[in-house]
């Protein structure tokens, strides 16, 4: 099933353009709940919430880039093959990927980044999972950990889903339950704040459940990363991704040699072009942060100033508001990639505004030897149960 409504435009953004559907293509059908359960189990996810078969679609839609210019993005929409005609919506924002084909909409069936959306849809929700900018079918490089563009991409994906769903004989209700993992935890908080602020007149925030987030890069994540408290190779990749992606947005350095040691100063930027795979990133980077970064870069990350400090204040503001809906912050114990202090700081920030978040400890879940990845699996099952209880 392929529907096309137009092509991306280079003209200035016009009122109503954001979220306009460009195309929709069905990518996966799992006919029965048993088919969904088998796919989720094979991917390492809990299938207890499966109630319906599902249909999955890749949507391409209009949105804006970090500078407010028109661009297209893509995302995954998964609908249950049963249940009520009017569907409650779950927005799931995924964790870090670097290759554009690792985005949710590029996966056929159940993969690590698409299985949460399949889980929520099979439980009876409309599951909406944006790829973000520069991933999936979106052009250009991905602006990693740029919460403003993650928020606009997620909000406009909801609008595109609302435009498409009636073509399947269903409709989206007003309520949106927001969740996301790792990078997507900050994105989820950004989207939730946007929805509560009334940035869309149709959708209404109902609950928030981010998982394993790096909500406080400056005061929690970067200190742990630089001090060796987190898994070394992940710290290498995250610090490289941050510097490369944010240099494109905020001009942190003039030459790669200022921040990356030789020989990586000649190769690291190209690794984050959306065309290199995870194994290529692993092979193309050293084992430790000290072997990757120059003394200047280490000092810059330890004591941010200028453009970096300003960008961090934006990225680290996602818990600086007062949700008027239930909030649960999910986290594994001793997460090796997202420092535990991130969740503590987020909860404290929300409470300082009068909110009452619940911190849900996930224990020590494991996926491929990682508690961080395991938290995505464990929380998906827990969040699906909680969302199902909310009316």
């Amino acid at each position: 099933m392929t529907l096309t409504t137009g092509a991306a435009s280079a003209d200035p953004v016009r009122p109503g353009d954001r979220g306009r559907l460009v195309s929709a293509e069905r990518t996966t059908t799992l006919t029965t709940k048993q088919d969904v359960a088998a796919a989720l189990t094979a991917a390492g996810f809990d299938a207890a919430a499966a109630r319906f078969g599902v249909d999955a679609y890749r949507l391409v839609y209009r949105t804006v880039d970090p500078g407010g210019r028109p661009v297209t993005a893509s995302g995954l929409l998964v609908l249950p093959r049963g249940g009520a005609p009017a569907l409650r919506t779950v927005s799931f924002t995924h964790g870090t990927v670097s290759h554009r084909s690792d985005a949710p909409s590029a996966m056929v069936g159940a993969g690590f980044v698409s299985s949460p959306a399949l889980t929520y849809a099979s439980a009876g929700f409309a599951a909406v999972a944006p790829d973000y900018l520069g991933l999936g079918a979106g052009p250009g490089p991905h602006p990693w950990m740029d919460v403003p563009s993650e928020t606009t991409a997620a909000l406009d994906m909801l609008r595109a889903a609302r435009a498409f769903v009636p073509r399947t004989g269903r409709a989206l209700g007003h309520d949106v339950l927001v969740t996301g993992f790792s990078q997507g935890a900050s994105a989820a908080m950004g989207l939730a704040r946007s929805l509560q602020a009334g940035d869309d007149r149709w959708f209404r925030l109902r609950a928030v459940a981010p998982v394993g987030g790096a909500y406080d890069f400056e005061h929690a994540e970067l200190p742990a990363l630089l001090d060796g408290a987190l898994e070394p190779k992940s710290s290498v990749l995250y610090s490289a991704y941050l510097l490369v992606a944010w240099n494109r947005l905020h001009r942190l350095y003039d030459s790669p040699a200022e921040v990356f040691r030789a020989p990586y100063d000649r190769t690291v930027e190209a690794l984050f072009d959306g065309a290199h795979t995870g194994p290529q990133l692993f092979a193309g980077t050293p084992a430790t942060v000290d072997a990757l970064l120059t003394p200047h870069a280490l000092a810059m990350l330890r004591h941010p100033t200028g453009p970096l400090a300003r960008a961090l204040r934006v990225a680290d503001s996602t818990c600086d508001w007062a949700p008027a809906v239930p909030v649960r912050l999910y986290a594994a114990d001793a997460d090796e990639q997202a420092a535990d202090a991130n969740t503590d700081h987020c909860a404290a920030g929300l409470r300082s505004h009068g909110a009452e978040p619940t911190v849900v400890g996930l224990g020590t879940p494991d996926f491929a030897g990682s508690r961080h990845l395991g938290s995505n699996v464990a929380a998906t099952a827990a969040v699906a149960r909680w969302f199902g209880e909310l009316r």
Side-chain angles (χ1 to χ4, degrees):
M1 175 183 183
T2 302
L3 304 171
T4 301
T5 62
S9 171
D11 296 332
V13 178
R14 296 184 296 272
D17 267 2
R18 284 187 46 193
R20 188 180 300 277
L21 191 65
V22 174
S23 65
E25 177 185 6
R26 184 161 54 195
T27 59
T28 301
T29 293
L30 297 171
T31 306
T32 67
K33 70 175 184 180
Q34 289 81 11
D35 296 331
V36 176
L40 290 174
T41 299
F45 279 72
D46 188 335
R51 295 172 51 217
F52 304 104
V54 299
D55 291 306
Y57 304 86
R58 169 182 274 193
L59 305 187
V60 177
Y61 60 97
R62 300 184 190 277
T63 187
V64 291
D65 72 7
R69 296 174 293 269
V71 71
T72 56
S74 57
L76 177 68
L77 169 68
V78 192
L79 301 177
R81 294 174 65 86
L87 297 167
R88 292 193 298 162
T89 302
V90 171
S91 172
F92 171 76
T93 40
H94 66 83
T96 297
V97 299
S98 57
H99 194 283
R100 62 180 61 253
S101 67
D102 289 335
S105 78
M107 293 194 168
V108 176
F112 184 77
V113 297
S114 58
S115 286
L118 267 65
T119 298
Y120 299 125
S122 187
F125 299 96
V128 178
D131 294 334
Y132 310 135
L133 300 183
L135 296 171
H142 170 52
W144 186 67
M145 289 297 294
D146 180 54
V147 174
S149 69
E150 292 166 354
T151 300
T152 54
L155 181 60
D156 292 343
M157 177 64 186
L158 285 172
R159 292 166 168 157
R162 183 186 171 219
F164 172 73
V165 167
R167 304 182 188 191
T168 70
R170 315 292 283 277
L172 297 188
H174 295 285
D175 286 352
V176 182
L177 302 112
V178 176
T179 183
F181 164 64
S182 192
Q183 174 186 355
S186 294
M189 294 297 286
L191 174 62
R193 182 171 55 187
S194 176
L195 290 172
Q196 181 166 294
D199 289 345
D200 186 274
R201 295 182 180 180
W202 176 264
F203 293 111
R204 178 176 58 216
L205 181 65
R206 178 65 183 88
V208 192
V211 182
Y215 312 103
D216 190 353
F217 242 82
E218 181 174 1
H219 305 104
E221 187 68 7
L222 284 176
L225 180 156
L226 295 171
D227 292 344
L230 303 178
E231 194 275 317
K233 190 66 175 186
S234 299
S235 297
V236 167
L237 296 174
Y238 288 145
S239 59
Y241 211 167
L242 181 74
L243 289 169
V244 171
W246 282 22
N247 189 59
R248 294 168 181 154
L249 294 174
H250 308 295
R251 192 63 179 270
L252 303 182
Y253 55 85
D254 294 321
S255 166
E258 295 176 30
V259 293
F260 300 118
R261 292 181 182 271
Y264 308 107
D265 58 326
R266 297 189 298 273
T267 59
V268 163
E269 287 190 325
L271 290 176
F272 296 97
D273 60 359
H276 285 77
T277 64
Q280 288 175 315
L281 266 65
F282 268 74
T285 51
T288 66
V289 170
D290 287 341
L292 173 72
L293 300 182
T294 64
H296 170 71
L298 292 168
M300 182 171 66
L301 294 177
R302 287 189 186 280
H303 306 287
T305 60
L308 177 58
R310 290 192 293 272
L312 284 167
R313 282 195 293 271
V314 174
D316 293 346
S317 70
T318 61
C319 301
D320 188 22
W321 60 296
V325 299
V327 179
R328 290 188 177 183
L329 306 176
Y330 291 81
D333 297 338
D335 188 315
E336 84 284 356
Q337 295 185 36
D340 292 354
N342 280 292
T343 298
D344 296 337
H345 292 187
C346 182
L350 295 172
R351 288 174 184 140
S352 73
H353 289 276
E356 298 182 359
T358 299
V359 176
V360 181
L362 297 169
T364 57
D366 178 84
F367 183 91
S370 168
R371 290 187 185 183
H372 184 62
L373 299 182
S375 70
N376 186 35
V377 176
T380 296
V383 172
R385 287 193 299 270
W386 183 48
F387 283 174
E389 295 167 357
L390 295 172
R391 297 298 175 193

